[in-house]
Amino acid sequence: MSKKKDIEFLRVMYLRGPNIWTYRPVIEAWVDIGALENFPSNTISGFYERLTALLPHLVDHRCGVGVHGGFLERLRDGTYAAHILEHIVLELQNLAGMRTGFGKTRQTAENGGIYKMAFRTRQEQVGRASLLAGRDLLMAVIEDRSYDLGATVATLSDMVEALCLGPSTVNIVDAVTARGIPSIRLTDGNLVQLGHGARQRRIWTAETEHTSAIAEGIASDKDLTKSLLASCGVPVPQGKIVSSAAQAWAAAEDIGVPVVVKPYDGNHGRGVSLNLLTQCDVEAAYHLASRKGDNKSVIVERFIIGNEHRLLIVGKRLIAAARGETLWVTGDGKSNIIELVDSQINIDPRRGLTEDSPLNTVAPEHGAEIILELVRQGFTAYSVPADGQKVLIQPNGNVAFDVTDQVHPSVAATAALAARIVGLDIAGIDLVAADISRPLEEQGGAIIEVNASPGLLAHLKPAGGQARPVGAAIVDHLFAPEETGRIPIVGVAGRHGTTLIARLIAWLLQVSGKQVGLACDDGLFLNGRQLGRGNFSEWESGQRLLLNRSVEAAVFENSSRMILSEGLAYDKCAVGVVTDVSGHAELGDFYMHSADHLYQVLRTQIDVVLPTGAAVLNAADAQVVQMAELCDGQVIFYGLDGQLEAIGAHRKQGKRAVFLRDSSIVLAFGQEEAALLPLSFLSLAQAAQAEAVLAAIAAGWALGLAPELIGAGLRTFDSNPKKTHY
């Protein structure tokens, strides 16, 4: 162990699935605090004051005390560097905008200065960077050196923005998690799989797998969209496509001023100019619009008096609606327009440059639309308006004020109809109306655009009004109320016979008619086809099965080493099998020095059993029997001897067990014997591993397979992996 006051990381692992610490991904760091083991926090002069001054929100950390300020109480009483580092890392992630709160630190039995420290992180690279930054911050506080916290948080915040899911996608993922549906991020972007295998759905922020390319193409063609809407009786503004400034003015004269000029294929309001009255303004607006769109064509259409609104349609229902606002500044005779915007508009704390801000910061010297609007009024961004003179900065936009409860039913129905006409399952409907609580036809309102992949932030974090459960609505659109997005998953953990158990369970499931994926020490299999040979009982192989749309059930062999180094490949399972608690000596490099340590590893398999699932436990292993109390679902004990104490007590409680008696395999439900399977069903090789076969039978029974089908599976199973095809 190091003799100087320093912190060294001996090993850093990202546990991507359920693990010995928690159900969620964590980073586990093995930390050698060296001579700091002799210096708890209460022995370092001024340490408490310096750390809390730098990170005042540490007061919110409850720690093991369980109350507000709990960690600070531990800090005053004296705690060690590894534990302090855990809380610093959590706080740095929070300050960077990636909220998290779980952390644990435990001393190893190796010696006094080495700790295992785990902390929750939502993104591996951000978590690792926070860990390194946390060590530097902690050492600076210990040594009473200055530390640039602002620079660290800025760096981590940039990483969060670049690497983490966007806020709209996060809202959907949080909603799917609340429903108990699993999710897997498929790329570094916002493509996410909801559910597993054959029961999965996919989203790309506000697009789903039901969003057709044809509908997207129609939505991106504004003129075609208007034509389709008009043909179905949806009110739209009269307009024309033009390809020159002269044509734009000619169209404006034909339509009648005032008009709107906008890019043919623009979005987010870029290049849009409103309420244009003169030839000069129309031609200038044309040049702006032609620069902003990918297609040089420009649309000129009738200007509709009213506020811009965005209505979010999910499925066939209106989920949320937001209204825009007009931005003005009032001159003081001294400040230019840039300064007035900063003091009267940008001072609003709701405005910012990131997606977390419901309103955008306004830059009159850079925004082409604003520059053009100012020119129309005879100003530039550097002009100084007279005292009391009002200047229009933005005639519309900032659609971020919730008006969902004010939308007239006929307006909601018209917006939903517009989405269906275009063919979008999720759509952002832009319309202009003076009063959203009145029918459009009464006020000359109209739908001006239908957008695929609409932004959700205005509804999740409105600048005014109530936030709407947009993510939950999208999840409910994708999954019926009874759907969980889950396929039957079986996990097998332990040391004895686990490969045979996994292979036999997979075979039983295939005999039942399911497309089955299997990851085990013999290889990776997909319903009779071997995808790879060798040891595939690791996280990456498991994910390959869960991503596959053809997989209707999956079986995983999970070694203790994999659980320790990667975590389980799935969040929950229908059946968890544990065969034994043995072999801790082989895990000494993980500081596993006793069967009790190993017990904590293997219990992970039982901790993730669904309440509707079952644990299959070996009644002959006392420590495995103890895991029964950890299971949220049912428990089925198995054993070679039906007189085992655990089996007897279990049956007296009216619960299930599988065991041998004379020449039969007994499936017992309480004191009743549900079925008897002749031992003659087993091959010689299977009979030699009868205990493993009993575990597989119990798992099949837990999955709802009929005893007759299980018997058929036993008769047809080939225990030689080189010849088996499943």
Side-chain angles (χ1 to χ4, degrees):
M1 183 178 69
S2 173
K3 297 299 182 183
K4 64 179 181 178
K5 291 182 181 178
D6 200 359
I7 296 173
E8 179 184 358
F9 297 130
L10 304 179
R11 186 172 185 176
V12 179
M13 300 178 293
Y14 183 47
L15 308 183
R16 296 178 283 184
N19 50 75
I20 62 173
W21 302 97
T22 181
Y23 298 103
R24 301 293 183 189
V26 298
I27 285 180
E28 180 183 312
W30 299 0
V31 184
D32 183 350
I33 66 173
L36 287 171
E37 179 68 12
N38 301 317
F39 295 91
S41 55
N42 61 341
T43 67
I44 302 174
S45 178
F47 176 82
Y48 177 92
E49 291 75 17
R50 293 193 294 273
L51 182 61
T52 53
L54 195 60
L55 298 173
H57 290 294
L58 287 175
V59 69
D60 298 325
H61 293 215
R62 295 175 173 269
C63 196
V65 180
V67 297
H68 187 264
F71 172 65
L72 296 190
E73 181 180 328
R74 296 282 301 276
L75 204 60
R76 283 191 298 267
D77 294 342
T79 190
Y80 292 90
H83 179 219
I84 300 168
L85 177 61
E86 168 206 321
H87 285 271
I88 290 174
V89 173
L90 292 174
E91 186 59 23
L92 287 177
Q93 291 184 107
N94 290 337
L95 291 173
M98 191 171 72
R99 301 297 302 177
T100 185
F102 173 84
K104 283 186 180 180
T105 302
R106 297 290 182 265
Q107 194 171 30
T108 69
E110 198 72 15
N111 57 53
I114 297 179
Y115 293 77
K116 285 185 177 182
M117 184 261 281
F119 62 91
R120 174 82 169 95
T121 187
R122 297 177 184 271
Q123 208 283 328
E124 180 182 4
Q125 291 167 261
V126 176
R128 288 180 180 272
S130 299
L131 178 63
L132 296 176
R135 175 179 62 182
D136 294 343
L137 185 155
L138 176 55
M139 292 309 303
V141 174
I142 289 173
E143 296 169 358
D144 197 9
R145 293 185 281 106
S146 62
Y147 185 83
D148 191 345
L149 178 63
T152 295
V153 172
T155 298
L156 294 175
S157 297
D158 288 344
M159 292 182 69
V160 168
E161 185 172 355
L163 299 172
C164 293
L165 291 172
S168 296
T169 309
V170 165
N171 185 261
I172 299 171
V173 171
D174 287 346
V176 85
T177 301
R179 270 196 53 175
I181 299 170
S183 63
I184 301 173
R185 188 178 184 181
L186 298 176
T187 67
D188 291 337
N190 290 305
L191 180 62
V192 180
Q193 174 180 312
L194 311 179
H196 289 153
R199 296 181 182 174
Q200 68 178 272
R201 308 284 190 275
R202 288 177 184 169
I203 60 165
W204 201 325
T205 308
E207 291 184 60
T208 78
E209 60 186 41
H210 302 312
T211 304
S212 76
I214 293 176
E216 281 194 327
I218 293 172
S220 66
D221 187 328
K222 291 180 172 55
D223 192 54
L224 175 58
T225 297
K226 286 173 58 179
S227 175
L228 290 174
L229 296 182
S231 68
C232 295
V234 174
V236 296
Q238 178 187 359
K240 289 185 177 181
I241 299 175
V242 299
S243 56
S244 71
Q247 289 180 9
W249 175 240
E253 288 186 301
D254 185 43
I255 294 169
V257 294
V259 294
V260 174
V261 175
K262 61 186 179 181
Y264 178 79
D265 57 355
N267 53 52
H268 301 293
R270 298 186 183 96
V272 178
S273 300
L274 307 176
N275 198 18
L276 305 176
L277 295 164
T278 69
Q279 180 176 356
C280 179
D281 289 344
V282 170
E283 291 179 347
Y286 169 83
H287 291 299
L288 170 64
S290 65
R291 293 197 307 271
K292 291 292 184 177
D294 294 330
N295 187 315
K296 296 303 180 182
S297 296
V298 169
I299 293 178
V300 179
E301 64 184 24
R302 177 172 59 87
F303 174 69
I304 301 171
I305 298 174
N307 288 315
E308 184 179 348
H309 296 78
R310 164 60 67 88
L311 276 60
L312 178 67
I313 302 297
V314 177
K316 299 179 180 179
R317 298 190 301 122
L318 171 71
I319 300 302
R323 174 183 50 77
E325 64 171 355
T326 301
L327 294 180
W328 300 78
V329 294
T330 303
D332 59 9
K334 298 177 292 184
S335 305
N336 66 30
I337 289 176
I338 296 172
E339 294 165 337
L340 292 172
V341 167
D342 285 340
S343 63
Q344 297 178 25
I345 296 176
N346 289 337
I347 195 172
D348 189 335
R350 297 170 298 180
R351 294 190 180 276
L353 299 174
T354 69
E355 286 189 332
D356 289 329
S357 302
L359 296 173
N360 294 326
T361 298
V362 178
E365 71 275 33
H366 298 304
E369 295 84 3
I370 298 176
I371 291 172
L372 187 58
E373 184 62 47
L374 292 175
V375 169
R376 292 174 59 203
Q377 300 170 74
F379 296 112
T380 72
Y382 302 94
S383 300
V384 178
D387 187 23
Q389 183 177 12
K390 295 194 71 176
V391 178
L392 177 61
I393 301 299
Q394 193 168 294
N396 220 322
N398 293 290
V399 182
F401 297 84
D402 181 74
V403 292
T404 306
D405 296 332
Q406 302 172 32
V407 178
H408 192 276
S410 71
V411 175
T414 300
L417 174 61
R420 292 200 301 277
I421 291 169
V422 173
L424 292 170
D425 64 321
I426 299 178
I429 309 298
D430 291 340
L431 62 82
V432 176
D435 185 353
I436 198 68
S437 66
R438 293 168 51 211
L440 294 179
E441 57 270 20
E442 285 186 8
Q443 53 188 314
I447 288 178
I448 57 175
E449 285 186 17
V450 176
N451 299 279
S453 190
L456 305 179
L457 197 61
H459 310 300
L460 299 174
K461 290 186 174 182
Q466 179 182 342
R468 301 293 167 172
V470 172
I474 291 174
V475 174
D476 291 344
H477 164 62
L478 291 171
F479 295 93
E482 70 279 3
E483 289 184 303
T484 65
R486 295 185 179 277
I487 60 174
I489 289 176
V490 181
V492 183
R495 193 159 173 259
H496 297 153
T498 52
T499 302
L500 174 60
I501 294 169
R503 291 181 55 245
L504 182 50
I505 294 171
W507 176 250
L508 295 176
L509 282 167
Q510 187 179 337
V511 170
S512 75
K514 293 188 182 299
Q515 300 281 324
V516 185
L518 167 64
C520 67
D521 282 355
D522 280 346
L524 186 68
F525 298 86
L526 181 57
N527 214 54
R529 185 163 59 95
Q530 190 164 23
L531 304 181
R533 295 183 181 277
N535 183 358
F536 279 86
S537 58
E538 35 80 36
W539 192 90
E540 197 69 43
S541 296
Q543 288 288 288
R544 288 171 62 182
L545 296 181
L546 298 179
L547 297 179
N548 194 312
R549 284 183 177 272
S550 67
V551 173
E552 297 173 318
V555 183
F556 301 86
E557 181 183 4
N558 301 311
S559 69
S560 298
R561 184 169 293 274
M562 188 205 77
I563 296 172
L564 285 166
S565 61
E566 298 184 282
L568 297 173
Y570 45 86
D571 65 327
K572 297 285 184 180
C573 65
V575 177
V577 181
V578 178
T579 62
D580 61 292
V581 179
S582 65
H584 67 266
E586 300 170 4
L587 298 169
D589 54 327
F590 282 90
Y591 299 105
M592 295 285 114
H593 299 305
S594 69
D596 288 340
H597 287 163
L598 185 56
Y599 173 89
Q600 297 300 325
V601 178
L602 293 170
R603 66 165 285 180
T604 304
Q605 178 59 79
I606 304 306
D607 287 334
V608 300
V609 172
L610 288 161
T612 55
V616 173
L617 303 176
N618 186 352
D621 187 308
Q623 285 189 295
V624 173
V625 170
Q626 291 177 23
M627 295 181 190
E629 62 188 29
L630 306 173
C631 183
D632 291 333
Q634 299 181 27
V635 173
I636 300 178
F637 280 119
Y638 70 90
L640 296 176
D641 184 358
Q643 300 304 311
L644 287 167
E645 181 180 353
I647 289 179
H650 202 58
R651 292 184 66 189
K652 286 181 180 178
Q653 297 175 23
K655 298 177 181 179
R656 292 189 283 178
V658 177
F659 54 89
L660 293 182
R661 188 182 62 213
D662 300 329
S663 59
S664 297
I665 302 167
V666 181
L667 281 65
F669 207 139
Q671 300 305 314
E672 300 294 325
E673 295 184 355
L676 297 176
L677 300 177
L679 277 176
S680 58
F681 281 179
L682 305 184
S683 67
L684 290 176
Q686 293 170 15
Q689 299 189 62
E691 194 171 58
V693 173
L694 294 177
I697 292 171
W701 194 20
L703 290 165
L705 303 183
E708 295 79 11
L709 187 145
I710 293 173
L714 292 176
R715 287 195 302 271
T716 55
F717 178 72
D718 188 337
S719 59
N720 185 341
K722 294 181 180 180
K723 297 180 180 179
T724 302
H725 300 288
Y726 44 87

